[in-house]
PDB file of all heavy atoms in Angstrom:
ATOM      1  N   MET A   1      -0.671  18.058 -20.307  1.00  0.00           N
ATOM      2  CA  MET A   1      -1.695  17.078 -19.987  1.00  0.00           C
ATOM      3  C   MET A   1      -2.081  17.258 -18.523  1.00  0.00           C
ATOM      4  O   MET A   1      -1.271  17.045 -17.632  1.00  0.00           O
ATOM      5  CB  MET A   1      -1.177  15.658 -20.244  1.00  0.00           C
ATOM      6  CG  MET A   1      -0.854  15.369 -21.707  1.00  0.00           C
ATOM      7  SD  MET A   1      -0.368  13.643 -21.976  1.00  0.00           S
ATOM      8  CE  MET A   1       1.212  13.642 -21.100  1.00  0.00           C
ATOM      9  N   VAL A   2      -3.335  17.636 -18.317  1.00  0.00           N
ATOM     10  CA  VAL A   2      -3.826  17.916 -16.976  1.00  0.00           C
ATOM     11  C   VAL A   2      -4.944  16.954 -16.581  1.00  0.00           C
ATOM     12  O   VAL A   2      -4.928  16.380 -15.496  1.00  0.00           O
ATOM     13  CB  VAL A   2      -4.322  19.375 -16.868  1.00  0.00           C
ATOM     14  CG1 VAL A   2      -4.877  19.639 -15.469  1.00  0.00           C
ATOM     15  CG2 VAL A   2      -3.212  20.351 -17.196  1.00  0.00           C
ATOM     16  N   ASP A   3      -5.907  16.780 -17.464  1.00  0.00           N
ATOM     17  CA  ASP A   3      -7.059  15.925 -17.175  1.00  0.00           C
ATOM     18  C   ASP A   3      -6.812  14.519 -17.704  1.00  0.00           C
ATOM     19  O   ASP A   3      -6.831  14.270 -18.906  1.00  0.00           O
ATOM     20  CB  ASP A   3      -8.311  16.532 -17.819  1.00  0.00           C
ATOM     21  CG  ASP A   3      -9.558  15.719 -17.518  1.00  0.00           C
ATOM     22  OD1 ASP A   3      -9.493  14.820 -16.649  1.00  0.00           O
ATOM     23  OD2 ASP A   3     -10.597  15.968 -18.152  1.00  0.00           O
ATOM     24  N   TRP A   4      -6.603  13.569 -16.788  1.00  0.00           N
ATOM     25  CA  TRP A   4      -6.331  12.193 -17.175  1.00  0.00           C
ATOM     26  C   TRP A   4      -7.580  11.325 -17.138  1.00  0.00           C
ATOM     27  O   TRP A   4      -7.521  10.141 -17.490  1.00  0.00           O
ATOM     28  CB  TRP A   4      -5.279  11.591 -16.240  1.00  0.00           C
ATOM     29  CG  TRP A   4      -3.928  12.225 -16.402  1.00  0.00           C
ATOM     30  CD1 TRP A   4      -3.415  13.281 -15.712  1.00  0.00           C
ATOM     31  CD2 TRP A   4      -2.910  11.841 -17.330  1.00  0.00           C
ATOM     32  NE1 TRP A   4      -2.150  13.585 -16.140  1.00  0.00           N
ATOM     33  CE2 TRP A   4      -1.813  12.708 -17.141  1.00  0.00           C
ATOM     34  CE3 TRP A   4      -2.813  10.846 -18.307  1.00  0.00           C
ATOM     35  CZ2 TRP A   4      -0.633  12.612 -17.885  1.00  0.00           C
ATOM     36  CZ3 TRP A   4      -1.647  10.743 -19.051  1.00  0.00           C
ATOM     37  CH2 TRP A   4      -0.575  11.617 -18.839  1.00  0.00           C
ATOM     38  N   GLN A   5      -8.708  11.881 -16.728  1.00  0.00           N
ATOM     39  CA  GLN A   5      -9.929  11.108 -16.582  1.00  0.00           C
ATOM     40  C   GLN A   5     -10.336  10.463 -17.908  1.00  0.00           C
ATOM     41  O   GLN A   5     -10.566  11.156 -18.902  1.00  0.00           O
ATOM     42  CB  GLN A   5     -11.067  11.999 -16.074  1.00  0.00           C
ATOM     43  CG  GLN A   5     -12.321  11.249 -15.681  1.00  0.00           C
ATOM     44  CD  GLN A   5     -12.115  10.371 -14.462  1.00  0.00           C
ATOM     45  OE1 GLN A   5     -11.465  10.780 -13.497  1.00  0.00           O
ATOM     46  NE2 GLN A   5     -12.670   9.172 -14.485  1.00  0.00           N
ATOM     47  N   GLY A   6     -10.419   9.134 -17.918  1.00  0.00           N
ATOM     48  CA  GLY A   6     -10.849   8.406 -19.105  1.00  0.00           C
ATOM     49  C   GLY A   6      -9.812   8.282 -20.198  1.00  0.00           C
ATOM     50  O   GLY A   6     -10.085   7.658 -21.234  1.00  0.00           O
ATOM     51  N   LYS A   7      -8.611   8.840 -19.997  1.00  0.00           N
ATOM     52  CA  LYS A   7      -7.572   8.765 -21.024  1.00  0.00           C
ATOM     53  C   LYS A   7      -6.965   7.355 -21.062  1.00  0.00           C
ATOM     54  O   LYS A   7      -6.742   6.733 -20.032  1.00  0.00           O
ATOM     55  CB  LYS A   7      -6.464   9.790 -20.749  1.00  0.00           C
ATOM     56  CG  LYS A   7      -6.918  11.242 -20.847  1.00  0.00           C
ATOM     57  CD  LYS A   7      -7.315  11.597 -22.272  1.00  0.00           C
ATOM     58  CE  LYS A   7      -7.525  13.090 -22.463  1.00  0.00           C
ATOM     59  NZ  LYS A   7      -8.579  13.650 -21.614  1.00  0.00           N
ATOM     60  N   SER A   8      -6.686   6.890 -22.267  1.00  0.00           N
ATOM     61  CA  SER A   8      -6.086   5.577 -22.457  1.00  0.00           C
ATOM     62  C   SER A   8      -4.567   5.720 -22.454  1.00  0.00           C
ATOM     63  O   SER A   8      -3.993   6.379 -23.337  1.00  0.00           O
ATOM     64  CB  SER A   8      -6.554   4.960 -23.775  1.00  0.00           C
ATOM     65  OG  SER A   8      -5.924   3.729 -24.010  1.00  0.00           O
ATOM     66  N   VAL A   9      -3.919   5.104 -21.474  1.00  0.00           N
ATOM     67  CA  VAL A   9      -2.472   5.240 -21.288  1.00  0.00           C
ATOM     68  C   VAL A   9      -1.833   3.861 -21.314  1.00  0.00           C
ATOM     69  O   VAL A   9      -2.266   2.936 -20.626  1.00  0.00           O
ATOM     70  CB  VAL A   9      -2.144   5.934 -19.951  1.00  0.00           C
ATOM     71  CG1 VAL A   9      -0.637   6.073 -19.780  1.00  0.00           C
ATOM     72  CG2 VAL A   9      -2.814   7.305 -19.877  1.00  0.00           C
ATOM     73  N   TRP A  10      -0.777   3.733 -22.111  1.00  0.00           N
ATOM     74  CA  TRP A  10      -0.006   2.480 -22.165  1.00  0.00           C
ATOM     75  C   TRP A  10       1.399   2.764 -21.668  1.00  0.00           C
ATOM     76  O   TRP A  10       2.092   3.640 -22.198  1.00  0.00           O
ATOM     77  CB  TRP A  10       0.037   1.960 -23.602  1.00  0.00           C
ATOM     78  CG  TRP A  10       0.746   0.649 -23.769  1.00  0.00           C
ATOM     79  CD1 TRP A  10       0.789  -0.384 -22.875  1.00  0.00           C
ATOM     80  CD2 TRP A  10       1.503   0.218 -24.904  1.00  0.00           C
ATOM     81  NE1 TRP A  10       1.513  -1.439 -23.382  1.00  0.00           N
ATOM     82  CE2 TRP A  10       1.970  -1.093 -24.630  1.00  0.00           C
ATOM     83  CE3 TRP A  10       1.824   0.806 -26.140  1.00  0.00           C
ATOM     84  CZ2 TRP A  10       2.749  -1.804 -25.535  1.00  0.00           C
ATOM     85  CZ3 TRP A  10       2.599   0.092 -27.033  1.00  0.00           C
ATOM     86  CH2 TRP A  10       3.051  -1.210 -26.740  1.00  0.00           C
ATOM     87  N   ILE A  11       1.820   2.029 -20.638  1.00  0.00           N
ATOM     88  CA  ILE A  11       3.148   2.198 -20.070  1.00  0.00           C
ATOM     89  C   ILE A  11       3.936   0.917 -20.293  1.00  0.00           C
ATOM     90  O   ILE A  11       3.574  -0.158 -19.785  1.00  0.00           O
ATOM     91  CB  ILE A  11       3.100   2.539 -18.571  1.00  0.00           C
ATOM     92  CG1 ILE A  11       2.243   3.785 -18.338  1.00  0.00           C
ATOM     93  CG2 ILE A  11       4.509   2.748 -18.015  1.00  0.00           C
ATOM     94  CD1 ILE A  11       2.121   4.183 -16.882  1.00  0.00           C
ATOM     95  N   VAL A  12       5.011   1.023 -21.058  1.00  0.00           N
ATOM     96  CA  VAL A  12       5.878  -0.115 -21.341  1.00  0.00           C
ATOM     97  C   VAL A  12       7.054  -0.068 -20.361  1.00  0.00           C
ATOM     98  O   VAL A  12       7.795   0.913 -20.326  1.00  0.00           O
ATOM     99  CB  VAL A  12       6.393  -0.067 -22.793  1.00  0.00           C
ATOM    100  CG1 VAL A  12       7.277  -1.286 -23.078  1.00  0.00           C
ATOM    101  CG2 VAL A  12       5.226  -0.012 -23.770  1.00  0.00           C
ATOM    102  N   GLY A  13       7.200  -1.129 -19.576  1.00  0.00           N
ATOM    103  CA  GLY A  13       8.209  -1.143 -18.528  1.00  0.00           C
ATOM    104  C   GLY A  13       7.604  -0.748 -17.204  1.00  0.00           C
ATOM    105  O   GLY A  13       8.127   0.123 -16.503  1.00  0.00           O
ATOM    106  N   ALA A  14       6.476  -1.391 -16.852  1.00  0.00           N
ATOM    107  CA  ALA A  14       5.704  -0.955 -15.681  1.00  0.00           C
ATOM    108  C   ALA A  14       5.595  -2.021 -14.604  1.00  0.00           C
ATOM    109  O   ALA A  14       4.699  -1.973 -13.769  1.00  0.00           O
ATOM    110  CB  ALA A  14       4.297  -0.535 -16.123  1.00  0.00           C
ATOM    111  N   SER A  15       6.505  -2.985 -14.583  1.00  0.00           N
ATOM    112  CA  SER A  15       6.425  -4.037 -13.565  1.00  0.00           C
ATOM    113  C   SER A  15       7.022  -3.599 -12.236  1.00  0.00           C
ATOM    114  O   SER A  15       6.774  -4.232 -11.203  1.00  0.00           O
ATOM    115  CB  SER A  15       7.125  -5.311 -14.055  1.00  0.00           C
ATOM    116  OG  SER A  15       8.501  -5.065 -14.315  1.00  0.00           O
ATOM    117  N   SER A  16       7.802  -2.526 -12.241  1.00  0.00           N
ATOM    118  CA  SER A  16       8.433  -2.046 -11.009  1.00  0.00           C
ATOM    119  C   SER A  16       8.924  -0.624 -11.237  1.00  0.00           C
ATOM    120  O   SER A  16       8.810  -0.068 -12.340  1.00  0.00           O
ATOM    121  CB  SER A  16       9.608  -2.951 -10.604  1.00  0.00           C
ATOM    122  OG  SER A  16      10.630  -2.913 -11.591  1.00  0.00           O
ATOM    123  N   GLY A  17       9.476  -0.029 -10.199  1.00  0.00           N
ATOM    124  CA  GLY A  17      10.153   1.263 -10.316  1.00  0.00           C
ATOM    125  C   GLY A  17       9.291   2.402 -10.808  1.00  0.00           C
ATOM    126  O   GLY A  17       8.107   2.530 -10.464  1.00  0.00           O
ATOM    127  N   ILE A  18       9.894   3.250 -11.645  1.00  0.00           N
ATOM    128  CA  ILE A  18       9.224   4.448 -12.134  1.00  0.00           C
ATOM    129  C   ILE A  18       7.970   4.106 -12.913  1.00  0.00           C
ATOM    130  O   ILE A  18       6.928   4.761 -12.767  1.00  0.00           O
ATOM    131  CB  ILE A  18      10.190   5.281 -13.004  1.00  0.00           C
ATOM    132  CG1 ILE A  18      11.367   5.791 -12.169  1.00  0.00           C
ATOM    133  CG2 ILE A  18       9.461   6.460 -13.640  1.00  0.00           C
ATOM    134  CD1 ILE A  18      12.433   6.495 -12.981  1.00  0.00           C
ATOM    135  N   GLY A  19       8.040   3.086 -13.761  1.00  0.00           N
ATOM    136  CA  GLY A  19       6.890   2.727 -14.582  1.00  0.00           C
ATOM    137  C   GLY A  19       5.695   2.318 -13.748  1.00  0.00           C
ATOM    138  O   GLY A  19       4.565   2.777 -13.985  1.00  0.00           O
ATOM    139  N   GLU A  20       5.911   1.456 -12.760  1.00  0.00           N
ATOM    140  CA  GLU A  20       4.816   1.021 -11.901  1.00  0.00           C
ATOM    141  C   GLU A  20       4.237   2.181 -11.105  1.00  0.00           C
ATOM    142  O   GLU A  20       3.005   2.329 -10.985  1.00  0.00           O
ATOM    143  CB  GLU A  20       5.296  -0.069 -10.947  1.00  0.00           C
ATOM    144  CG  GLU A  20       4.198  -0.580 -10.024  1.00  0.00           C
ATOM    145  CD  GLU A  20       4.715  -1.508  -8.936  1.00  0.00           C
ATOM    146  OE1 GLU A  20       5.940  -1.511  -8.687  1.00  0.00           O
ATOM    147  OE2 GLU A  20       3.889  -2.205  -8.331  1.00  0.00           O
ATOM    148  N   ALA A  21       5.114   3.018 -10.543  1.00  0.00           N
ATOM    149  CA  ALA A  21       4.644   4.150  -9.739  1.00  0.00           C
ATOM    150  C   ALA A  21       3.840   5.124 -10.580  1.00  0.00           C
ATOM    151  O   ALA A  21       2.803   5.649 -10.137  1.00  0.00           O
ATOM    152  CB  ALA A  21       5.838   4.865  -9.106  1.00  0.00           C
ATOM    153  N   THR A  22       4.276   5.373 -11.809  1.00  0.00           N
ATOM    154  CA  THR A  22       3.551   6.284 -12.693  1.00  0.00           C
ATOM    155  C   THR A  22       2.203   5.699 -13.081  1.00  0.00           C
ATOM    156  O   THR A  22       1.185   6.412 -13.118  1.00  0.00           O
ATOM    157  CB  THR A  22       4.386   6.568 -13.948  1.00  0.00           C
ATOM    158  OG1 THR A  22       5.648   7.102 -13.548  1.00  0.00           O
ATOM    159  CG2 THR A  22       3.687   7.571 -14.848  1.00  0.00           C
ATOM    160  N   ALA A  23       2.172   4.408 -13.358  1.00  0.00           N
ATOM    161  CA  ALA A  23       0.899   3.762 -13.681  1.00  0.00           C
ATOM    162  C   ALA A  23      -0.083   3.884 -12.530  1.00  0.00           C
ATOM    163  O   ALA A  23      -1.282   4.136 -12.732  1.00  0.00           O
ATOM    164  CB  ALA A  23       1.155   2.292 -14.017  1.00  0.00           C
ATOM    165  N   SER A  24       0.413   3.728 -11.307  1.00  0.00           N
ATOM    166  CA  SER A  24      -0.446   3.829 -10.127  1.00  0.00           C
ATOM    167  C   SER A  24      -1.020   5.233  -9.970  1.00  0.00           C
ATOM    168  O   SER A  24      -2.218   5.407  -9.699  1.00  0.00           O
ATOM    169  CB  SER A  24       0.348   3.437  -8.878  1.00  0.00           C
ATOM    170  OG  SER A  24      -0.466   3.463  -7.728  1.00  0.00           O
ATOM    171  N   VAL A  25      -0.179   6.244 -10.162  1.00  0.00           N
ATOM    172  CA  VAL A  25      -0.632   7.631 -10.032  1.00  0.00           C
ATOM    173  C   VAL A  25      -1.658   7.971 -11.110  1.00  0.00           C
ATOM    174  O   VAL A  25      -2.704   8.576 -10.826  1.00  0.00           O
ATOM    175  CB  VAL A  25       0.564   8.598 -10.105  1.00  0.00           C
ATOM    176  CG1 VAL A  25       0.075  10.036 -10.228  1.00  0.00           C
ATOM    177  CG2 VAL A  25       1.442   8.449  -8.872  1.00  0.00           C
ATOM    178  N   LEU A  26      -1.386   7.584 -12.354  1.00  0.00           N
ATOM    179  CA  LEU A  26      -2.312   7.908 -13.437  1.00  0.00           C
ATOM    180  C   LEU A  26      -3.634   7.161 -13.283  1.00  0.00           C
ATOM    181  O   LEU A  26      -4.702   7.688 -13.608  1.00  0.00           O
ATOM    182  CB  LEU A  26      -1.668   7.592 -14.784  1.00  0.00           C
ATOM    183  CG  LEU A  26      -0.440   8.435 -15.136  1.00  0.00           C
ATOM    184  CD1 LEU A  26       0.066   8.084 -16.540  1.00  0.00           C
ATOM    185  CD2 LEU A  26      -0.757   9.925 -15.054  1.00  0.00           C
TER     186      LEU A  26
END
């Protein structure tokens, strides 16, 4: 997965830590 533009991503466990940081980057 290279192009994230417009992709629908659901992150479960995203209130802090790795999940939050990954959500921010994506």
Side-chain angles (χ1 to χ4, degrees):
M1 296 184 292
V2 178
D3 182 11
W4 293 92
Q5 189 67 42
K7 295 294 191 300
S8 177
V9 180
W10 183 33
I11 304 179
V12 181
S15 61
S16 63
I18 296 174
E20 180 189 17
T22 303
S24 183
V25 170
L26 295 183

